[in-house]
Amino acid sequence: MTIKPGTILISSPVLDDPNFDKVVIFICEYNDKGAMGFVINHIFPRAFNELTEFKTVKAFALFDGGPVENEKLFFLHRQPDIIEGGTITANGIYLGGNFKQAVEHINQHSQPEDDIKLFVGYCGWDPGQLETEIEEGCWLRIGAVVENIFAIDSLQRKKPQIEALNII
């Protein structure tokens, strides 16, 4: 199985790094410069509206996307008609775009978590690094893209299947 945008990785116990203990990662970029992804199953300890510059925004979950650039916010979405400038990753999921439009979407919709996921930081790998870690057994690849990486309950429904693999 090849690595490509949309690949889901699950950490294995072989990976001895507290940053990646029991994580599920969505790969959003993969090219000759390396790979980039976000941890999609670890909620950040503060909500979006608890950040000083966003205190007027409605409460919205932030996710701990990874240890790289963890002083910055990143987002995935599936609203290219509403949020301009995003880059397609896989299956209608976009990386980034107009952040102001994303915040407006969060404020104006009753269930924006169905369309947007905000991350503090990301996961990154140099060229060849992720492949080596997979060969060493640090990561398990899931062939299918998670149908809905945005809904927490979607991940919860998959939890028994993932736990059956005896890795998290």
Side-chain angles (χ1 to χ4, degrees):
M1 179 189 322
T2 60
I3 304 167
K4 60 185 178 183
T7 299
I8 300 293
L9 301 175
I10 300 174
S11 63
S12 81
V14 172
L15 187 58
D16 187 25
D17 184 335
N19 290 311
F20 299 109
D21 185 37
K22 300 179 181 178
V23 302
V24 178
I25 294 179
F26 174 79
I27 297 295
C28 56
E29 286 185 2
Y30 182 79
N31 54 41
D32 60 350
K33 295 178 184 173
M36 175 189 185
F38 296 102
V39 174
I40 60 174
N41 66 323
H42 284 186
I43 295 179
F44 193 71
R46 294 172 60 195
F48 186 45
N49 65 321
E50 292 176 24
L51 303 178
T52 303
E53 57 270 38
F54 300 106
K55 62 184 176 187
T56 60
V57 176
K58 75 178 182 180
F60 192 77
L62 288 173
F63 286 79
D64 188 354
V68 181
E69 292 195 50
N70 56 14
E71 70 286 346
K72 293 186 179 180
L73 292 176
F74 301 88
F75 67 102
L76 294 173
H77 68 92
R78 57 180 178 175
Q79 290 294 329
D81 296 336
I82 297 170
I83 302 169
E84 300 170 346
T87 303
I88 186 76
T89 62
N91 293 0
I93 300 170
Y94 290 77
L95 170 62
N98 185 313
F99 192 69
K100 183 178 179 182
Q101 291 172 335
V103 172
E104 288 173 11
H105 182 73
I106 290 169
N107 277 330
Q108 295 173 1
H109 290 83
S110 61
Q111 291 185 302
E113 62 276 358
D114 290 346
D115 298 318
I116 297 176
K117 201 159 189 147
L118 298 176
F119 301 94
V120 176
Y122 69 91
C123 301
W125 293 267
D126 289 330
Q129 181 182 3
L130 182 55
E131 294 83 351
T132 299
E133 290 180 8
I134 289 171
E135 288 172 14
E136 292 172 350
C138 298
W139 299 102
L140 299 174
R141 288 175 288 185
I142 303 298
V145 174
V146 171
E147 305 82 39
N148 186 355
I149 68 163
F150 299 96
I152 293 171
D153 64 336
S154 172
L155 288 172
Q156 293 302 322
R157 284 193 302 274
K158 292 190 177 303
K159 192 172 181 179
Q161 298 165 347
I162 293 169
E163 286 175 342
L165 297 172
N166 200 28
I167 54 172
I168 63 173

